[in-house]
Amino acid sequence: MKILVINGPNLNLLGLREPDIYGTESYQALLDSIDETCRKAEIEYEVFQSNHEGALVDKIQEAYGNFDGIVINPAAYTHTSVAILDALKAVGLPAVEVHLSDINRRESFRKFSYISAACLKTIAGKGFAGYWEALLFLKEYERKSRHDL
Ligand code: DQA
């Protein structure tokens, strides 16, 4: 089981960035916690972060044939990017959308996600734990899909 974790713009500034909303832990702390979850659950993974929409689209395209699932926090592109939605639909990999904050309880422009339409589920407002939940969900989803074959 190999999962690609994708993080969009400004998530590399975790800790510095609006700590009242995103917490005081750094991006490296998020990476460490993802690593711990994956090691315990025996999930192979790669994390990719970019501030550029096209780079995120390229990475999703490259995932085809190389990964079994995608965990994605598209950050601000959640609310604007048809290109990321189309890329996820194109590769057709099981995907879970994650947001550190609860996008439904913030400004109204954050309530709509283009990305949800290509994802099995959306996890928002659980901080780092949202990523762990998404990884374990995809592992279980893959196990069930194999069982059904
Ligand atoms: C975010 C929520 C988005 O609205 C915002 O633009 C982000 C981060 C989150 O993780 O809570 O950059 O995706």
Side-chain angles (χ1 to χ4, degrees), residues 9-11 17 21-22 73-79 98-103 106 109-110 131:
N10 302 308
L11 289 168
R17 174 188 188 202
I21 296 172
Y22 299 112
N73 183 346
Y77 290 132
T78 305
H79 320 294
V98 173
H99 299 284
L100 294 160
S101 66
D102 187 349
I103 52 175
R106 297 182 60 191
F109 65 84
R110 293 187 203 274
Y131 286 81

